[in-house]
Amino acid sequence: MNLLLRLWRSSLGKKYVMALTGIALFGFVIGHLVGNLQVFGNPDLINTYAHFLKSKPGLIWGARIGLLLMVSLHFAAAVTLTLANRAARPIPYAGGSSPGSTWKSRHAMLSGLVILAFVVYHLLHYTALISGINGTGRDFSLLKTTLSGSNDVVPDVYAMMILGFKVWWVTAFYLIAQALLFLHLGHGLASMFQSLGLRNHTWWPRISAFARAASLVIFLGYASIPIAVLVGGMGSEYAQRALAQMSVKEAK
Amino acid sequence: MKVTLKVWRQKNAKAAGAFKTYTSPELNPNMSFLEMLDVLNEELSNRGEEPIAFDHDCREGICGTCALVINGTPHGPQKGVTTCQTYMRSFKDGDQLVIEPWRAGPFPIIKDLVCDRKSFDRIQQAGGFITVRTGSAPDANSLPVPKEDSDLAMDAAQCIGCGACVAACKNASAMLFVAAKVSHLGLMPQGQPERYRRVKAMVEQMDTEGFGACTVTGSCEAVCPKQISLDFIARLNRDYAVSLLK
Ligand code: HEM
Ligand code: FES
């Protein structure tokens, strides 16, 4: 307990917290991406995966609580440090500031806040299935299907993703958030090694290259899904059929 | 050559400051930046105006006293030099130069371009020393030091404590200064007995003084007149983590 308090009261300690929670969130982002990319297979693939997750409440709630804790700590450290950092320069410069720095390194708080807003929207959109915000006027919780080789009726996650990304402004918001995550991680993944003291002059170029590569892969991976739907027309016919079935249900 | 100067003027620590614009007298491009201010000050004195106060001492880049932000960059446009080692040939005839003091809460302004950097002294006093037996000098080379360690320690020991790192950082963070001081002692055998007590005490004093935290923007490294590397901040982070566990 004493150690935790000492960590939280020190500016370096808070950066350790940011770095460690950042690694955990990075791990989640990778895992979630691998899960989502299954949408490029046949609809059964991702629906089976979603059904598997839903059937393990211990796993899913454990992960949710863990992630909430990670985001809360990361966010609390970011906000308190940012306020202290602002207070350390009461009078700004008139002739320019932050020589030799990149935009992404100066705006981690901004990119982080947009990511947070996105996460809230994303949870309402696809987890809580609030129909008022999905832009289609339809209730995604009515999308049901059966998996091949079984009679269980399960949520049609595939159709939900296709219908969700057919709305251009939803896709636009997802892409903006991904672009900011790209910038956040392009800086953050390298910064994390610095904060934890894991760097020297030989490793720094490699660490920076890793940060650039990993953030780019994550961006391309996530962005490919809404783009394939909105621009590439992926899954259109399937989604039309799912919508028709849903209309029957709504009529009843 | 002539330049236009927008200079921060502030009567004392309590007064509100403001920019005032001056046109320099005819300059020799080989004058140093501080000589340029000397010439301007002479002219101001002759006109019966208050000369511009600015810090300086050695004027040869080794003491860390001079401290001007020129067009947003501490120590001006030339890499790896102090303000006193910046020459007017780095600018063009007719340039407009904005001259400001170091800006940070822990560096309060005393007058015009002079700020109070005693917060650095207090950090240093908190742990930036080693304990040695005084009296007869020990034999040279009686303690073997690996060459790589002594080279690294010398790189860190180049820090002249000018505070340009704080001035450049968007968070007014003193991490590069503290990292240099902690590393140059922590890398040597003589610095081992107090190594972890030192890092803890200096970091705590740094936080108490109100400097910001590091967000790895690299501005400090970019302006450091001694080109001290961000690698030392990683070393500081590492040593501090170990000190918390001790
Ligand atoms: C809740 C929204 C978020 C906010 C407000 C936020 C804010 C920040 C801030 C201010 C920093 C410090 C940047 C710096 O050192 O310059 C940071 C670092 C970092 N963030 Fe975030 N972030 C958020 C979400 C995320 C997410 C979702 C991830 C992972 C996918 C992430 C990964 C990281 C990493 C790896 C670091 C580097 C840690 C370090 O510098 O030691 N962040 N974040
Ligand atoms: S006056 Fe001594 S370093 Fe510039």
Side-chain angles (χ1 to χ4, degrees):
Chain A
M1 199 60 218
N2 194 13
L3 180 65
L4 291 183
L5 265 182
R6 263 157 62 189
L7 267 183
W8 196 254
R9 284 187 186 147
S10 139
S11 62
L12 275 70
K14 272 194 190 161
K15 289 295 307 228
Y16 301 155
V17 172
M18 293 213 69
L20 294 171
T21 53
I23 298 177
L25 293 172
F26 170 63
F28 166 76
V29 164
I30 295 281
H32 192 51
L33 175 61
V34 173
N36 290 355
L37 286 177
Q38 296 178 70
V39 77
F40 287 107
N42 66 35
D44 252 18
L45 188 63
I46 195 158
N47 285 339
T48 309
Y49 170 69
H51 181 58
F52 163 79
L53 287 183
K54 279 265 162 67
S55 65
K56 299 267 180 298
L59 181 87
I60 208 161
W61 279 103
R64 281 173 179 170
I65 290 166
L67 282 169
L68 183 65
L69 185 69
M70 292 301 127
V71 171
S72 308
L73 283 171
H74 193 81
F75 180 71
V79 171
T80 49
L81 282 176
T82 301
L83 291 176
N85 292 347
R86 296 238 169 106
R89 158 111 357 102
I91 305 176
Y93 288 110
S97 59
S98 307
S101 65
T102 57
W103 190 92
K104 64 183 171 192
S105 76
R106 278 178 274 126
H107 296 89
M109 190 65 213
L110 175 72
S111 53
L113 284 175
V114 176
I115 296 166
L116 183 65
F118 165 76
V119 168
V120 171
Y121 178 80
H122 182 54
L123 288 174
L124 296 174
H125 189 206
Y126 283 154
T127 305
L129 301 175
I130 307 295
S131 45
I133 58 137
N134 68 27
T136 64
R138 310 295 286 259
D139 182 358
F140 288 166
S141 69
L142 297 177
L143 289 165
K144 299 283 180 200
T145 186
T146 50
L147 300 172
S148 58
S150 128
N151 288 326
D152 292 352
V153 177
V154 301
D156 194 347
V157 170
Y158 183 86
M160 176 184 83
M161 285 171 80
I162 305 294
L163 291 170
F165 292 135
K166 286 272 180 213
V167 183
W168 72 268
W169 58 262
V170 170
T171 287
F173 182 41
Y174 271 68
L175 292 179
I176 289 170
Q178 291 314 322
L180 285 160
L181 182 63
F182 166 66
L183 295 173
H184 194 83
L185 291 180
H187 169 69
L189 288 178
S191 163
M192 169 178 102
F193 285 90
Q194 171 80 332
S195 300
L196 295 175
L198 305 172
R199 117 168 217 190
N200 60 27
H201 68 281
T202 327
W203 276 90
W204 186 240
R206 299 175 193 169
I207 290 167
S208 310
F210 160 75
R212 279 195 296 271
S215 55
L216 185 65
V217 167
I218 288 172
F219 174 70
L220 293 177
Y222 276 109
S224 68
I225 300 170
I227 290 179
V229 172
L230 190 67
V231 183
M234 180 173 84
S236 281
E237 282 166 35
Y238 181 94
Q240 285 311 317
R241 257 179 284 130
L243 261 189
Q245 280 171 14
M246 191 169 139
S247 303
V248 174
K249 257 181 257 164
E250 279 169 347
K252 273 188 201 161
Chain B
M1 71 183 286
K2 277 189 177 190
V3 291
T4 310
L5 304 167
K6 226 178 118 183
V7 184
W8 183 259
R9 302 301 310 258
Q10 182 172 336
K11 227 181 174 59
N12 55 48
K14 299 251 162 57
F19 283 100
K20 204 161 172 213
T21 305
Y22 302 92
T23 310
S24 76
E26 186 60 32
L27 303 168
N28 179 329
N30 294 323
M31 280 176 171
S32 78
F33 200 82
L34 300 186
E35 282 166 341
M36 180 274 290
L37 288 177
D38 291 338
V39 174
L40 175 65
N41 272 346
E42 223 164 67
E43 203 180 83
L44 292 182
S45 302
N46 288 343
R47 290 207 305 252
E49 285 179 44
E50 179 83 9
I52 300 162
F54 62 91
D55 253 338
H56 59 101
D57 189 10
C58 71
R59 296 206 178 195
E60 55 184 17
I62 56 170
C63 74
T65 309
C66 56
L68 298 179
V69 177
I70 306 165
N71 285 346
T73 305
H75 293 313
Q78 214 68 291
K79 264 202 176 300
V81 297
T82 53
T83 307
C84 60
Q85 295 292 292
T86 298
Y87 294 88
M88 293 314 293
R89 55 180 177 264
S90 299
F91 306 97
K92 289 195 302 290
D93 187 32
D95 271 0
Q96 204 205 49
L97 308 178
V98 182
I99 310 178
E100 296 170 83
W102 282 182
R103 294 221 183 269
F107 289 164
I109 291 171
I110 299 170
K111 184 176 182 179
D112 294 342
L113 301 169
V114 181
C115 69
D116 179 352
R117 283 169 281 181
K118 282 204 280 291
S119 47
F120 266 19
D121 298 341
R122 288 187 292 268
I123 294 175
Q124 196 67 332
Q125 283 156 5
F129 51 80
I130 58 167
T131 309
V132 287
R133 192 178 72 89
T134 54
S136 55
D139 245 12
N141 301 327
S142 60
L143 273 175
V145 182
K147 177 81 168 90
E148 301 82 61
D149 290 359
S150 70
D151 282 353
L152 263 184
M154 280 304 283
D155 287 349
Q158 295 232 21
C159 171
I160 52 177
C162 63
C165 43
V166 174
C169 175
K170 87 181 208 327
N171 311 323
S173 169
M175 287 289 275
L176 195 62
F177 166 74
V178 175
K181 296 303 171 197
V182 159
S183 301
H184 105 246
L185 298 175
L187 277 158
M188 301 299 278
Q190 295 89 338
Q192 296 312 307
E194 288 118 341
R195 179 167 175 184
Y196 294 105
R197 231 184 307 152
R198 171 184 310 118
V199 65
K200 215 163 144 286
M202 291 181 81
V203 164
E204 276 164 16
Q205 190 61 37
M206 170 183 88
D207 281 348
T208 307
E209 296 290 345
F211 291 101
C214 178
T215 53
V216 204
T217 64
S219 289
C220 55
E221 187 186 53
V223 304
C224 176
K226 300 299 160 185
Q227 302 192 291
I228 291 177
S229 161
L230 281 183
D231 287 346
F232 290 115
I233 295 186
R235 170 176 285 277
L236 171 66
N237 279 322
R238 208 151 65 222
D239 273 10
Y240 184 70
V242 175
S243 83
L244 282 180
L245 297 174
K246 290 215 169 222

